[in-house]
Amino acid sequence: MNPQARIGGRQVLYRPSGPGLGLGQALYGPPGAKIRGRGVLDKPSRPGSRQCGQDGRYRNNPKSLADAGEPSAAAAPSRSARGARATSLEKYGVRGQAEPGTALGASVPAQPPPSLQQEAVHAPACVHGFFHGLSPPDAPRPGPPGTPVPCRKLHPVLGCATRLLLPAAVAEAGSSGELSLVPAAALCPCLRPLPNQPAQLNTVSVFCYDPAGLPLPATFLRDPAHLADWERHGYVATPDPGPGPKEGLARPDACYLLHRGSGEAAEPGAQPQTLLLFLLLRYADPFQDPPVCDARTRQVLVSHVEQILGCSAGAVREAVQGVVDATLEEDAHRQRSQRQLCQALPVVLEAVSSVVSSSTSARFRRACLQSWQVSDTPELVAALSGALTGVTRRRRLPHSSCTDPGPPWAGSPPGQPPLQEEASRDIGTPRSEPAGEAAGAGPEPKQSRRASGTPEQGQSRDGAGSSQDLSQADELWLQETRSLSEWAS
Amino acid sequence: MSSSLAGKQDWSAFSLLHQHRASLVREHGPSSDSCQITSTEVLEAIENVMQDIVTSLARNEAPVLILENRSDWGNIQFTESIGLQMISHCTTRKIRSDCPKSAPKFALILKILSMIYRMVQNNTYATKRDIYYTDPQLFGNQSIVDNIVNDISCMLKIPRRSLHIMSTTKGCIAGNLSYTEEDGTKVNCTCSATAVSVPSNVQGIRNLISDAKFILIVEKDATFQRLLDDDFCNKLSPCIMITGKGVPDLNTRLLVRKLWDTFQTPIFTLMDADPHGIEIMCIYKYGSLSMSFEAHRLTIPAIRWLGLLPSDVERLNIRKDALIPLTKRDQNKLDSMQKRPYVACQPQWKKEMEIMAASKMKAEIQALTSLSSDYLSRVYLPNKLRFGGWI
């Protein structure tokens, strides 16, 4: 019997997960129900030990879930933890829905290209599950009070599942299944809550996983041109000869350095960002239900990975290009918005200083100078300039989809982006004004009405903010998330 | 008020017009724009805006500007004595300086405020076009400047004229009127051959002299020129004719309001019998949505609709081929007009709109030429004025 469930408002048929719990096998899992299949640890055993799954296969147990929960500086889970993370997330029936490419501001189309949108929804739930709960490792630790902290999570854009051609050698080796690639990309750290914080994208880290969820290194990945056309976004990508990620962080299968083609220098104080590319191989075998990527199949894949990727180089590049475009377009939109802001601030400053300097009102000049404890207009203008830039950069969106994700399916259903950034978001009233007027500025009636549908109360949305209208599955999900975070800490 | 401009028309037959004038004076009485805003008050208002920004930054907060929503019918109330007026506690919107979408508008508002500040200090004036051309690349286009100027006027509660921003004038006036402009120039509108442009600084004109028995607001320039050619101002002298050439500019409305405040002369409108003509008349009489915050200085509820009435089209049996079917846009505008708050207190206007809606036809003033070439100035207008054909 195929139980039914809803992912983000969309009816999805589920097949009970098979005995094994490898990333590629547990294609589906009923929502919220505890997957008590084999290989599930009731309580954490000694980190680092090998764990025999009920299907007779051994898996490395993560040093600690916290480790798994904190992907490497190169922003990916440590190698030994990767499979474990997927398993540990599986055991909690964690699955979620990767957010489709989201527009930061009004001018980027709210919907990423339709093909990306539909495919992202139909990608297997486990792939979503892989990302849910990952948080960037090198997100800066909270600095002095008032220092804006980026979002602590990744928001991957999921690409289309692309079929890979299997060379003759692989077929002769007895592998009768079908192999497909699901790419995903995410910017790390995520700066959506800080729309005005300058960012500098300078590295790309590529991680390739086989159907069993284990790393699958390949020299094919070392050439940046194999994965995407970086000039399309104004970048020049070169392999990174450097020593690799910091201690304790997972080594990516390939790392590139990104430079601006135009040679423009980074803005002072810009937050370094990394583009994470995940290439997830998926194995399907019509003669096995559920398809099992056993050790022999994995060995065939490892030994023929260069041929497999080489045979489907075009398809691989097209698939990866889609997610790279969606991710970097969001970044490009962010930079366009920041340029618009940077053009406006000097005009503000010049207007204020021209009125203050030409005023003959002693009251007005004294009030302005005293509020900044300065003695003359040039000093006041210098102080205003720094303050205006600082207060603008530190702007934090109150209701960004990052700080308050809520249960994945409680968010906006796929195809409908999270609430757009608005000029006056905290007014929280439905938009009634034509875009032509102060675009993005919604009206503020006497009593500001809460925007409908926005989970306002979820400030401390750590699973505790249950409300009546959440369905039973949501309650279970919140309980699971709470126990996951308790176990991790 | 001296009567040096005697006319030829025998006005004894226009008793209804005299009675109408007497009733208007009793009903409306002089309403002059008493409250003059001084330059010091304007400078202080701008300084307060700048001071709020400086103190916000001192508190480490992103400065914001609060603007009233001028294009929201929810913020408008209608009173018969004034017309469409902005309510006191209306919805506002916040223009943030730290949001990429609203930061440009925030910056342009402050830029124009600083330009106004300098103009008021130096007692110089500029039109909105002049402001736009100081930095076209920064402002983007003229409508952005026009919008911001109205937002500033509404935010500070100061009329545009007191902000030393003049409107580009497009209206014309002719007839029994003379006045002196601020720079001392004497203007006499009596020479009937050509019309005089409406002054760009209506607030500054003085020594207005007129014996006009009525003032005729003409919707279109073509009709205005036709009446000039027919020497209408002399045939029915003393009278004043004025046109805003379609939707009136601010100065034309201000001039008509100034003539009313000064002389309490009956004011009639001559519009096409179509929804657009009715809407233009309502702007003169009750004001517009976007300028509702200045309604008490611009509207003239004493205005009456003289022609061309839809019922006149039926009564005069104008040929069908001289009429034009209502377009979809006309019908939508007619439907929306019938729901406007001011139509409810004008049953006769409502009836005329229903006639137009039922006939699904509209007529231009030029349709009267199907009866005879000078029917408008020789027969139609004199009879309408003589027999009280206004509503």
Side-chain angles (χ1 to χ4, degrees):
Chain A
M1 195 272 297
N2 290 338
Q4 293 191 331
R6 300 184 66 80
I7 287 188
R10 180 179 293 271
Q11 202 71 21
V12 177
L13 279 176
Y14 271 72
R15 273 188 303 150
S17 65
L21 283 179
L23 169 66
Q25 284 170 321
L27 300 184
Y28 301 104
K34 282 193 171 55
I35 299 176
R36 281 291 165 218
R38 286 165 304 181
V40 175
L41 305 177
D42 284 326
K43 58 181 176 23
S45 61
R46 190 167 48 77
S49 62
R50 287 174 61 81
Q51 171 64 38
C52 172
Q54 288 179 341
D55 56 3
R57 289 182 293 116
Y58 283 86
R59 274 183 211 82
N60 286 330
N61 197 47
K63 286 201 292 292
S64 73
L65 189 63
D67 215 17
E70 291 284 342
S72 64
S78 56
R79 268 197 163 312
S80 60
R82 265 183 232 152
R85 161 177 294 105
T87 306
S88 64
L89 293 175
E90 292 299 305
K91 78 176 184 183
Y92 286 96
V94 165
R95 46 148 203 72
Q97 165 207 340
E99 284 165 282
T102 310
L104 265 180
S107 55
V108 169
Q111 303 281 16
S115 59
L116 262 184
Q117 183 63 33
Q118 274 74 29
E119 280 306 312
V121 169
H122 295 302
C126 68
V127 174
H128 299 187
F130 176 82
F131 294 107
H132 201 89
L134 292 187
S135 59
D138 56 1
R141 297 291 172 256
T147 307
V149 176
C151 157
R152 301 285 303 158
K153 289 210 184 284
L154 291 183
H155 301 279
V157 172
L158 210 51
C160 315
T162 302
R163 175 91 53 81
L164 300 182
L165 304 175
L166 292 184
V170 176
E172 285 151 12
S175 174
S176 60
E178 292 171 358
L179 199 61
S180 55
L181 169 73
V182 178
L187 282 173
C188 176
C190 162
L191 292 176
R192 283 184 193 168
L194 305 169
N196 299 340
Q197 168 67 36
Q200 165 71 11
L201 181 60
N202 45 27
T203 53
V204 178
S205 296
V206 183
F207 300 87
C208 185
Y209 294 96
D210 72 6
L214 297 174
L216 187 62
T219 50
F220 175 88
L221 304 174
R222 292 203 185 119
D223 181 354
H226 282 169
L227 294 186
D229 170 14
W230 303 97
E231 279 85 18
R232 186 184 290 190
H233 298 281
Y235 286 106
V236 176
T238 54
D240 179 8
K246 290 180 227 139
E247 174 47 39
L249 297 177
R251 169 181 301 283
D253 298 310
C255 199
Y256 315 138
L257 296 179
L258 287 183
H259 317 280
R260 273 289 175 193
S262 55
E264 65 193 62
E267 216 177 308
Q271 164 76 48
Q273 270 190 314
T274 296
L275 174 65
L276 306 183
L277 280 181
F278 298 94
L279 309 182
L280 311 173
L281 293 183
R282 209 181 64 185
Y283 179 70
D285 188 337
F287 302 104
Q288 290 176 348
D289 185 22
V292 176
C293 177
D294 53 23
R296 195 171 57 74
T297 306
R298 171 172 159 68
Q299 190 49 45
V300 169
L301 291 179
V302 169
S303 49
H304 295 84
V305 65
E306 303 303 338
Q307 291 170 297
I308 292 171
L309 294 177
C311 274
S312 308
V316 169
R317 179 174 158 134
E318 190 183 332
V320 174
Q321 184 77 56
V323 291
V324 167
D325 289 348
T327 307
L328 295 190
E329 179 46 39
E330 179 180 334
D331 183 58
H333 171 75
R334 176 193 172 84
Q335 290 175 24
R336 281 195 300 269
S337 296
Q338 288 181 5
R339 273 196 297 274
Q340 195 171 2
L341 203 54
C342 293
Q343 286 163 3
L345 298 187
V347 177
V348 170
L349 202 58
E350 190 251 336
V352 174
S353 55
S354 87
V355 169
V356 172
S357 53
S358 62
S359 170
T360 55
S361 161
R363 175 205 63 82
F364 168 63
R365 286 179 55 77
R366 195 181 320 113
C368 291
L369 296 179
Q370 276 177 357
S371 58
W372 279 89
Q373 276 98 44
V374 291
S375 54
D376 56 28
T377 307
E379 273 186 50
L380 176 66
V381 171
L384 290 179
S385 175
L388 192 56
T389 306
V391 80
T392 303
R393 274 194 178 182
R394 285 191 300 273
R395 183 185 183 220
R396 188 175 190 83
L397 293 186
H399 291 300
S400 144
S401 55
C402 292
T403 52
D404 181 9
W409 51 82
S412 47
Q416 183 193 350
L419 286 174
Q420 296 285 315
E421 174 207 285
E422 281 186 56
S424 41
R425 277 291 298 130
D426 41 16
I427 292 179
T429 50
R431 185 195 312 255
S432 74
E433 197 171 30
E437 284 285 342
E444 180 183 332
K446 279 192 278 291
Q447 295 81 25
S448 89
R449 297 191 305 276
R450 290 189 179 282
S452 57
T454 309
E456 296 273 354
Q457 77 288 355
Q459 293 312 335
S460 56
R461 180 62 73 104
D462 55 0
S466 64
S467 66
Q468 302 75 11
D469 51 5
L470 283 181
S471 64
Q472 198 273 335
D474 302 337
E475 283 300 329
L476 210 53
W477 153 256
L478 293 178
Q479 189 188 338
E480 296 300 343
T481 311
R482 197 178 309 118
S483 55
L484 172 64
S485 52
E486 282 153 17
W487 197 87
S489 56
Chain B
M1 204 52 55
S2 70
S3 56
S4 58
L5 305 169
K8 303 183 191 60
Q9 183 62 44
D10 169 17
W11 286 98
S12 58
F14 290 76
S15 56
L16 287 175
L17 186 56
H18 303 315
Q19 289 166 23
H20 175 56
R21 176 173 193 153
S23 68
L24 287 179
V25 172
R26 280 194 311 275
E27 190 183 326
H28 293 276
S31 57
S32 66
D33 179 5
S34 55
C35 65
Q36 283 287 24
I37 295 183
T38 64
S39 295
T40 309
E41 287 168 322
V42 176
L43 296 178
E44 202 169 294
I46 295 173
E47 285 164 0
N48 290 339
V49 173
M50 298 301 180
Q51 188 175 329
D52 288 346
I53 289 169
V54 171
T55 45
S56 290
L57 288 172
R59 290 196 304 266
N60 214 4
E61 292 166 5
V64 292
L65 291 172
I66 306 289
L67 300 183
E68 279 93 356
N69 280 318
R70 290 183 300 108
S71 55
D72 184 350
W73 277 99
N75 287 338
I76 306 296
Q77 71 180 0
F78 170 72
T79 55
E80 273 199 72
S81 56
I82 293 178
L84 298 177
Q85 199 174 18
M86 184 170 266
I87 55 179
S88 48
H89 302 293
C90 57
T91 59
T92 58
R93 64 187 190 281
K94 206 187 276 190
I95 307 296
R96 304 177 61 105
S97 62
D98 61 354
C99 165
K101 269 184 263 182
S102 59
K105 177 153 189 170
F106 183 93
L108 293 182
I109 289 174
L110 293 193
K111 172 76 176 178
I112 293 178
L113 277 174
S114 65
M115 295 171 77
I116 293 170
Y117 192 82
R118 227 171 295 124
M119 283 195 293
V120 173
Q121 278 187 325
N122 307 331
N123 196 27
T124 54
Y125 289 79
T127 64
K128 292 186 286 188
R129 200 110 189 108
D130 297 335
I131 289 176
Y132 167 65
Y133 277 111
T134 57
D135 198 336
Q137 195 176 3
L138 175 69
F139 291 116
N141 62 58
Q142 181 67 54
S143 65
I144 290 176
V145 173
D146 297 353
N147 225 341
I148 287 175
V149 166
N150 286 338
D151 280 337
I152 288 173
S153 177
C154 185
M155 175 175 73
L156 303 181
K157 305 272 188 290
I158 297 176
R160 238 179 18 202
R161 307 169 301 292
S162 303
L163 299 174
H164 286 223
I165 295 180
M166 316 309 300
S167 287
T168 314
T169 297
K170 57 174 180 154
C172 288
I173 188 165
N176 187 285
L177 174 67
S178 69
Y179 55 84
T180 307
E181 292 198 333
E182 192 168 29
D183 57 6
T185 311
K186 287 194 176 354
V187 178
N188 189 339
C189 309
T190 321
C191 34
S192 59
T194 57
V196 173
S197 284
V198 169
S200 55
N201 182 6
V202 173
Q203 201 174 5
I205 65 176
R206 58 189 188 286
N207 304 339
L208 283 87
I209 303 170
S210 173
D211 298 324
K213 301 293 183 189
F214 66 90
I215 298 172
L216 183 66
I217 299 175
V218 184
E219 177 192 349
K220 294 191 296 192
D221 186 36
T223 313
F224 183 87
Q225 295 300 331
R226 179 56 199 263
L227 289 173
L228 276 185
D229 299 343
D230 291 352
D231 200 18
F232 175 77
C233 288
N234 276 332
K235 283 178 185 163
L236 274 177
S237 178
C239 73
I240 295 173
M241 233 183 16
I242 188 167
T243 180
K245 297 181 182 174
V247 177
D249 58 277
L250 198 57
N251 287 331
T252 304
R253 292 177 63 190
L254 279 171
L255 182 58
V256 177
R257 173 60 186 265
K258 189 149 191 133
L259 295 175
W260 163 252
D261 288 342
T262 310
F263 302 111
Q264 270 87 59
T265 306
I267 302 175
F268 303 108
T269 57
L270 179 61
M271 304 285 159
D272 286 348
D274 62 17
H276 191 56
I278 298 172
E279 181 157 50
I280 288 173
M281 172 173 59
C282 291
I283 289 175
Y284 280 105
K285 186 180 174 77
Y286 292 124
S288 64
L289 184 65
S290 63
M291 293 301 290
S292 57
F293 60 91
E294 270 209 61
H296 51 287
R297 293 194 185 94
L298 293 170
T299 60
I300 311 155
I303 284 176
R304 295 296 183 268
W305 184 5
L306 187 67
L308 173 66
L309 306 181
S311 54
D312 290 345
V313 174
E314 289 181 343
R315 194 167 30 248
L316 297 172
N317 283 323
I318 294 177
R319 295 200 318 271
K320 284 284 181 264
D321 60 357
L323 306 182
I324 308 163
L326 288 179
T327 63
K328 184 69 181 143
R329 193 155 170 247
D330 288 332
Q331 279 166 356
N332 293 340
K333 184 178 279 294
L334 190 55
D335 293 345
S336 83
M337 292 284 300
Q338 288 176 305
K339 300 184 185 92
R340 295 271 173 90
Y342 39 69
V343 172
C345 68
Q346 294 285 353
Q348 290 178 294
W349 287 26
K350 195 167 180 45
K351 206 158 118 267
E352 293 293 335
M353 291 186 197
E354 284 156 2
I355 293 170
M356 186 186 296
S359 70
K360 293 191 169 30
M361 301 298 276
K362 60 183 179 180
E364 293 191 340
I365 300 168
Q366 283 69 21
L368 296 177
T369 55
S370 65
L371 304 172
S372 80
S373 64
D374 60 351
Y375 186 84
L376 173 64
S377 57
R378 188 171 51 81
V379 178
Y380 183 74
L381 288 175
N383 285 327
K384 290 282 276 188
L385 287 166
R386 172 176 294 174
F387 301 110
W390 57 77
I391 53 174

